[in-house]
């Protein structure tokens, strides 16, 4: 395959496979999905085959208008998380997340389309079942995270022995499947810290190319917010159905919020995002100042109002786009060592990184009061994000994975 997007004198043909429509770019994974699809459409003959959840369908035409494609197909699927589906996935030896995205129609569409393409780009390992066994071109796998490590860390936090055993069982299935996906791929795009974990599965390190999970870089163009323009308020943005987010918020409300509220009686905590269920609502019920708003499309009023962003993750994987977006916008961030993974940041300079509740409370109290420290962290975070979280760092390795 020649450089410059050419294969035997023509443009390289890339088939993008995903378990979600790559639009709209409203969350971390969705932003990366969209930016990659947009880039591939500009530089190659791009086809897209996707599994669509019902909520994706209203955005289909917007996506088709915004990206240049030579082929498109979608398969509607709605297979919920349930005990029955967990048992069915276990009977097939598949992780539940993979089983929920395994559809015969999707496989048939991909098999038919793949004969016309040079490269299959797998947006995640969830679409591996659709890869034709006899496909003779290049397979590029995008590893969003070292998935098995998320399950391992989750098990380490689980106190209920029955739930812990179930988590370990599911984590074992994911570990085996993740190793299979990496073995099948010719090239693997993964964040540097995730590559270390994936090498632990026996993956050839020469397959890896660095990738990163960045956010909405247009936030860098917005003017600085002054300390005096903010109010004593905390902000969290993210899917509340994702267990690492939910676990972290439950921990924060129990271990940090009450003490912080005593020091700052006017403090408010805005929790933005869909989901959460009864566990989070029960924890927030009766806590003065806690506001669960649901999904909010325009975050700018909250970015300008809230003095601190909170991402109290105790397990998870990959680079946390919600933190990067807060840094782009200049909102000082309270997080944990897990939240800061892969960001190349220094505690007290770019972020507050707390390994325990006592330090997180102290740091939050200080930043809520001290305008000079707050302003310094705002400026350092924005400059670091401007220098390090540039999408060109994603496109170069992506181009190499496809063309070389």
């Amino acid at each position: 395959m020649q450089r410059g997007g050419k294969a035997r004198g023509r443009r390289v043909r890339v088939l993008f496979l995903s378990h979600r429509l790559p639009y709209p770019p409203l969350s971390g994974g969705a932003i990366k999905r969209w930016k990659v699809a947009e880039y591939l459409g500009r530089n190659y003959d791009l086809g897209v085959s996707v599994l669509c959840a019902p909520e994706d369908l209203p955005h289909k035409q917007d996506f088709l208008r915004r990206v240049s494609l030579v082929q498109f197909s979608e398969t509607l699927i709605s297979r919920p998380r349930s005990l029955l589906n967990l048992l069915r996935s276990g009977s097939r030896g598949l992780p539940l997340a993979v089983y929920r995205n395994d559809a015969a129609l999707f496989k048939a569409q991909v098999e038919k389309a793949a004969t016309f393409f040079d490269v299959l780009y797998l947006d995640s390992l969830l679409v591996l079942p659709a890869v034709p066994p006899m496909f003779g071109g290049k397979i590029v796998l995008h590893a969003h995270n070292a998935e098995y490590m998320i399950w391992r860390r989750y098990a380490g936090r689980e106190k209920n022995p029955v739930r812990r055993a179930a988590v370990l069982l599911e984590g074992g299935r994911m570990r085996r499947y993740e190793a299979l996906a990496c073995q099948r791929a010719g090239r693997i795009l993964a964040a540097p810290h995730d590559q270390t974990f994936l090498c632990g599965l026996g993956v050839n390190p020469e397959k890896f190319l660095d990738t990163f999970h960045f956010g909405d870089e247009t936030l860098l163009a917005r003017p600085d917010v002054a300390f005096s323009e903010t109010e004593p308020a905390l902000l969290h943005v993210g899917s509340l159905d994702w267990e690492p987010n939910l676990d972290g918020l439950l921990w924060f409300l129990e271990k940090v919020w009450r003490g912080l509220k005593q020091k700052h009686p006017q403090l408010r905590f805005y929790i933005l995002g869909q989901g959460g269920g009864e566990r989070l609502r029960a924890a927030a019920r009766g806590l003065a100042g806690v506001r669960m708003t649901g999904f909010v499309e325009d975050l700018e009023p909250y970015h300008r109002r809230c003095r601190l962003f909170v991402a109290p993750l105790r397990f998870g994987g990959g680079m946390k786009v919600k933190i990067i977006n807060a840094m782009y916008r200049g909102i000082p961030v309270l997080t944990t060592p897990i939240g800061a993974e892969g960001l190349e940041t220094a505690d007290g300079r770019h972020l507050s990184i707390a390994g325990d509740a006592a330090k997180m409370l102290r740091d939050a109290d200080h930043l809520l009061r001290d305008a000079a420290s707050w302003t310094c962290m705002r400026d350092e975070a924005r400059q670091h994000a401007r220098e390090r979280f540039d999408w060109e760092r994603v496109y170069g390795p992506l181009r190499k994975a496809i063309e070389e």
Side-chain angles (χ1 to χ4, degrees):
M1 200 172 292
Q2 301 174 12
R3 297 184 65 84
K6 299 288 186 180
R8 303 182 190 90
R10 57 168 174 76
R11 277 162 62 99
V12 176
R13 296 169 179 166
V14 181
L15 181 59
F16 180 106
L17 307 181
S18 179
H19 68 294
R20 293 298 301 268
L21 185 75
Y23 197 83
L26 296 178
S27 64
I31 292 171
K32 178 73 173 283
R33 204 172 293 127
W34 164 245
K35 296 289 281 189
V36 168
E38 185 183 40
Y39 174 84
L40 294 176
R42 288 197 307 267
N43 292 278
Y44 307 100
D45 285 346
L46 177 64
V48 171
S49 291
V50 295
L51 289 160
C52 280
E55 58 268 28
D56 289 332
L57 294 179
H59 306 290
K60 173 184 167 182
Q61 292 305 319
D62 279 344
F63 171 69
L64 295 176
R65 281 194 294 269
R66 292 169 185 268
V67 68
S68 175
L69 300 177
V70 298
Q71 181 269 346
F72 177 81
S73 66
E74 86 275 6
T75 302
L76 183 65
I77 191 168
S78 181
R79 189 175 287 166
R81 294 185 185 92
S82 67
L83 178 59
L84 179 59
N85 282 331
L86 179 62
L87 294 173
R88 287 171 172 166
S89 66
S91 70
R92 294 178 55 187
L94 293 175
L96 176 60
V98 175
Y99 173 75
R100 291 180 60 222
N101 292 281
D102 187 7
L105 179 58
F106 184 54
K107 289 180 181 179
Q109 290 176 334
V110 172
E111 184 171 16
K112 180 179 179 181
T115 58
F116 299 99
F117 290 89
D118 307 302
V119 179
L120 298 186
Y121 176 91
L122 279 55
D123 180 54
S124 80
L125 59 79
L126 301 182
V127 296
L128 181 66
V131 174
M134 303 305 292
F135 179 71
K138 180 184 288 187
I139 297 174
V140 176
L141 171 65
H142 175 222
H144 284 262
N145 305 291
E147 300 288 346
Y148 80 96
M149 284 301 301
I150 297 177
W151 287 96
R152 180 177 292 179
R153 289 169 170 174
Y154 183 13
R157 295 286 180 184
E158 182 55 61
K159 300 296 190 292
N160 183 301
V162 175
R163 283 176 60 97
R164 185 172 188 272
V167 170
L168 287 171
L169 182 62
E170 186 69 3
R173 293 191 189 110
M174 182 58 78
R175 178 186 171 90
R176 291 188 293 274
Y177 198 82
E178 199 158 22
L180 176 65
C182 291
Q183 180 183 5
R184 185 78 171 89
R187 280 293 202 176
I188 304 167
L189 293 159
H193 65 284
D194 285 329
Q195 293 176 26
T196 302
F197 297 130
L198 294 172
C199 282
L201 300 177
V203 180
N204 181 354
E206 294 183 0
K207 286 189 174 186
F208 289 112
L209 290 168
D210 291 350
T211 194
F212 304 92
H213 306 273
F214 298 149
D216 179 8
E217 76 279 19
T218 65
L219 295 172
L220 284 167
R222 296 184 180 180
D224 286 335
V225 177
F227 181 90
S228 59
E229 295 177 282
T230 67
E231 61 186 55
L234 312 180
L235 175 64
H236 176 88
V237 179
S239 170
L240 304 180
D241 287 327
W242 193 50
E243 190 65 28
N245 283 345
L246 181 56
D247 170 85
L249 286 170
L250 292 171
W251 174 83
F252 183 84
L253 291 175
E254 179 184 357
K255 302 294 186 180
V256 181
W257 172 254
R258 296 176 190 274
L260 199 57
K261 183 69 170 172
Q262 288 177 355
K263 293 175 178 291
H264 300 268
Q266 302 306 312
L267 188 65
R268 292 188 177 185
F269 185 15
Y270 296 99
I271 301 174
L272 280 56
Q274 293 179 327
E278 185 54 32
R279 289 167 62 196
L280 185 58
R281 297 186 186 282
R285 196 173 294 129
L287 294 181
V290 177
R291 305 282 189 272
M292 292 182 62
T293 67
F295 173 75
V296 174
E297 186 166 350
D298 182 9
L299 298 177
E300 182 63 8
Y302 291 92
H303 286 164
R304 299 193 64 83
R305 170 191 297 176
C306 297
R307 196 162 294 169
L308 299 175
F309 188 93
V310 180
L313 294 158
R314 301 197 299 164
F315 68 95
M319 296 173 69
K320 315 309 183 292
V321 173
K322 53 181 159 285
I323 295 177
I324 292 175
N325 278 341
M327 295 176 71
Y328 280 152
R329 193 62 191 90
I331 310 171
V333 176
L334 300 171
T335 191
T336 63
I338 296 294
E341 272 187 339
L343 300 181
E344 302 171 309
T345 49
D347 177 32
R349 180 181 175 187
H350 308 107
L351 307 170
S352 161
I353 305 172
D356 57 64
K359 183 179 186 303
M360 187 169 285
L361 195 157
R362 287 196 306 272
D363 287 0
D365 178 41
H366 177 68
L367 289 166
L368 285 168
R369 298 178 189 274
D370 192 299
S373 297
W374 185 94
T375 303
C376 184
M377 187 174 287
R378 178 202 68 189
D379 294 344
E380 290 280 359
R382 292 199 101 178
Q383 184 62 26
H384 183 79
R386 185 174 287 108
E387 293 173 354
R388 302 296 298 165
F389 306 150
D390 183 341
W391 278 98
E392 286 304 316
R393 294 182 69 194
V394 173
Y395 298 144
L398 175 61
R399 183 167 56 249
K400 183 176 181 180
I402 290 170
E403 295 182 16
E404 293 187 3

